[in-house]
Amino acid sequence: MQQRLLLAAALFVSTTAAWAQVPVPAAKQTKATVLTGATLHVGNGQVVEGATVAFNEGKITYAGPSAGFNAGGTAYEAVNVSGKHIYPGMILPNSQLGLTEIESVRATLDQQEVGMFNPNVRAVVAYNTDSDITPTLRSNGVLMSQVTPMGGMISGTSSVVQLDAWNWEDALVKADGGVHLRWPAMVQQTTDNSPQVQQRRQARQTGLSELEALLAEAKVYKNQKNDRRNLKLSSLGGLFDGSKKLFIHANYGKEIVESIRFAQKAGVKEMVIVGGADALVVADFLKENNIPVVYSGVHALPARAEDDVYLPYKMPGLLQKAGILFCLDYDASLHGTRNLPFIAGTAVAFGLPKEQALSSVTLNAAKILGVDQQVGSVEVGKDASIVVSEGDILDMRTNKISHAFIQGRKLNLTDKQQYLYEKFNGKYNSANKAEVGK
């Protein structure tokens, strides 16, 4: 009996220690809050020195020079952030956050379904709000993510979530706003007519023919009254009235043009290119058709041997000069997505103006994901999803988040890495002190 009690006590202690690594979602804002004395980076290119930002019931009530702030009879709790910087919470597009945890453990992977055409798959219902990765993003100022499925030709639908919630329903910012199409790679025209090459060409053509038929059927289905709902067809209906966007994953210039023309012919209203390694090559076409880009390759190698070795670093600045609406994502390991602000920082070092780089991970991302009326910039009426950094948030040397709020709720910025650092830092410091005392 005593052994059982000891075992239960040990389990309780270990469980408590494990839970200490996972911050509990913050409680709803109950006190009006005002941040004073900081430099405000609005997210739309504007910078306000000596600014004040006030928010109440989860919404921003004032954002501007301190001299212009009037409490209007509301009792605000003042937080002095003098010398620091206020930013909108950053947004991570095209991510499997909450769908993938440990790549080598199959039970933690839920980012794709079998089959080629799964438009009815809703990635958000598999979103895990208890992921150990999520707090590491918040510690660097990333407060929202587009949960995106993978696999097949039509992977499913994505949703935008905020990163402080008990469950996926509470996390939702915008549900099922995008359908994701993985455009099949072209087969290069060569003298090689081997059976393998012919098979690849035939498979590609078959896939595109099936996709064309599916979109045509979905368009007809949308305009009919049906007693029994077809989930695959109904999930595509929003593409034809603009209520959903088609996110086309493509990199090669010819594939980008081909996929956009294909979608336009099918009647799709809103499109976004994801990846876009060759976006600059077809910049005029993208601008003419008003197609934004989620650019994925800032820290990638150039696509061609003859390209400038720094071209991926320069690409955001070049897209800005070309007049293309774009945002940045982190198309590498999921555990590295906390480095999203530093991707934008790299673009600054290679020609993109600093405030435009901030927009590329805040307001531009919000516009492309269709949530810019709610988040993406520090403006009156929007959600109080903001962060306070001791220095430049895009520089890994000065990105030190002191405060973060989602919809006015103050976040616990502890994460697993910080917990382990403090644990073992204390251990070895104690050991060193004991050694010195001998």
Side-chain angles (χ1 to χ4, degrees):
M1 182 65 178
Q2 187 176 4
Q3 289 181 341
R4 290 181 181 178
L5 288 174
L6 289 173
L7 178 59
L11 287 172
F12 175 78
V13 170
S14 63
T15 303
T16 303
W19 272 106
Q21 302 170 27
V22 183
V24 175
K28 185 177 181 180
Q29 183 186 11
T30 57
K31 293 182 179 179
T33 304
V34 58
L35 309 177
T36 61
T39 299
L40 169 61
H41 302 261
V42 178
N44 59 6
Q46 297 179 357
V47 179
V48 182
E49 300 287 346
T52 288
V53 175
F55 47 94
N56 190 18
E57 296 181 351
K59 296 292 183 180
I60 298 172
T61 56
Y62 180 82
S66 295
F69 175 64
N70 184 353
T74 302
Y76 282 92
E77 179 182 11
V79 180
N80 187 348
V81 289
S82 297
K84 299 182 180 181
H85 299 259
I86 300 175
Y87 297 92
M90 286 175 279
I91 304 170
L92 174 68
N94 185 36
S95 171
Q96 283 74 55
L97 180 69
L99 304 180
T100 299
E101 193 74 10
I102 305 171
E103 293 180 1
S104 60
V105 180
R106 183 178 180 183
T108 71
L109 308 181
D110 200 8
Q111 74 275 30
Q112 71 180 69
E113 296 290 345
V114 297
M116 290 295 289
F117 300 100
N118 296 299
N120 54 303
V121 169
R122 304 178 65 211
V124 73
V125 300
Y127 174 64
N128 174 24
T129 55
D130 293 323
S131 170
D132 277 341
I133 303 172
T134 299
T136 68
L137 275 73
R138 303 189 323 193
S139 298
N140 279 356
V142 181
L143 303 186
M144 279 156 284
S145 176
Q146 180 195 28
V147 182
T148 305
M150 296 181 65
M153 187 174 287
I154 296 185
S155 307
T157 62
S158 62
S159 296
V160 181
V161 297
Q162 48 86 5
L163 305 185
D164 182 63
W166 286 106
N167 52 59
W168 67 265
E169 292 97 333
D170 293 344
L172 272 174
V173 176
K174 184 181 176 100
D176 307 321
V179 176
H180 288 259
L181 169 61
R182 313 276 168 174
W183 194 252
M186 286 183 164
V187 182
Q188 292 184 354
Q189 296 295 330
T190 65
T191 56
D192 182 4
N193 286 318
S194 64
Q196 292 84 353
V197 173
Q198 293 180 27
Q199 186 177 12
R200 285 173 56 201
R201 290 194 181 118
Q202 183 58 45
R204 183 177 194 272
Q205 189 56 49
T206 300
L208 291 177
S209 297
E210 292 178 0
L211 175 61
E212 183 178 20
L214 178 64
L215 291 175
E217 189 177 358
K219 189 173 183 180
V220 172
Y221 179 86
K222 177 178 172 56
N223 298 320
Q224 292 180 342
K225 292 184 179 180
N226 299 278
D227 296 330
R228 300 182 66 181
R229 189 181 180 197
N230 184 308
L231 291 178
K232 278 194 174 182
L233 299 182
S234 62
S235 63
L236 292 169
L239 296 177
F240 308 112
D241 60 16
S243 60
K244 286 186 179 181
K245 295 184 179 183
L246 182 63
F247 287 79
I248 304 172
H249 296 248
N251 280 297
Y252 183 43
K254 288 184 177 180
E255 292 168 1
I256 291 173
V257 173
E258 180 189 36
S259 62
I260 291 171
R261 286 177 173 165
F262 181 96
Q264 288 173 334
K265 183 180 178 182
V268 176
K269 298 294 184 184
E270 299 282 343
M271 288 157 277
V272 178
I273 291 296
V274 181
D278 271 357
L280 193 64
V281 176
V282 293
D284 291 340
F285 176 80
L286 292 173
K287 189 174 181 180
E288 179 185 342
N289 289 275
N290 196 29
I291 307 294
V293 175
V294 178
Y295 183 63
S296 300
V298 174
H299 281 186
L301 292 172
R304 300 173 180 81
E306 64 271 18
D307 285 343
D308 177 1
V309 69
Y310 296 119
L311 181 60
Y313 302 160
K314 296 175 181 177
M315 186 66 76
L318 296 173
L319 292 175
Q320 177 72 25
K321 289 180 181 177
I324 295 173
L325 176 64
F326 74 96
C327 69
L328 302 179
D329 82 347
Y330 192 88
D331 187 24
S333 72
L334 177 62
H335 293 77
T337 50
R338 63 182 181 274
N339 294 320
L340 177 67
F342 313 137
I343 293 289
T346 298
V348 172
F350 286 85
L352 183 64
K354 184 175 291 186
E355 296 307 315
Q356 298 303 322
L358 176 65
S359 295
S360 73
V361 289
T362 55
L363 187 57
N364 285 5
K367 289 178 178 178
I368 291 171
L369 300 180
V371 292
D372 55 302
Q373 297 300 310
Q374 190 173 347
V375 293
S377 59
V378 185
E379 297 180 89
V380 174
K382 290 192 175 184
D383 286 356
S385 295
I386 56 182
V387 293
V388 180
S389 175
E390 293 183 11
D392 183 358
I393 202 171
L394 304 184
D395 188 334
M396 67 175 62
R397 298 168 299 179
T398 56
N399 176 308
K400 297 179 180 179
I401 307 302
S402 60
H403 302 76
F405 303 86
I406 291 180
Q407 297 169 349
R409 306 187 306 274
K410 186 177 181 180
L411 304 186
N412 179 346
L413 292 175
T414 302
D415 60 42
K416 188 174 183 179
Q417 280 67 34
Q418 291 176 357
Y419 170 82
L420 292 174
Y421 169 79
E422 291 170 4
K423 174 182 176 180
F424 290 104
N425 185 53
K427 173 184 177 180
Y428 293 113
N429 278 341
S430 298
N432 290 337
K433 289 178 181 178
E435 188 68 27
V436 170
K438 287 182 179 179

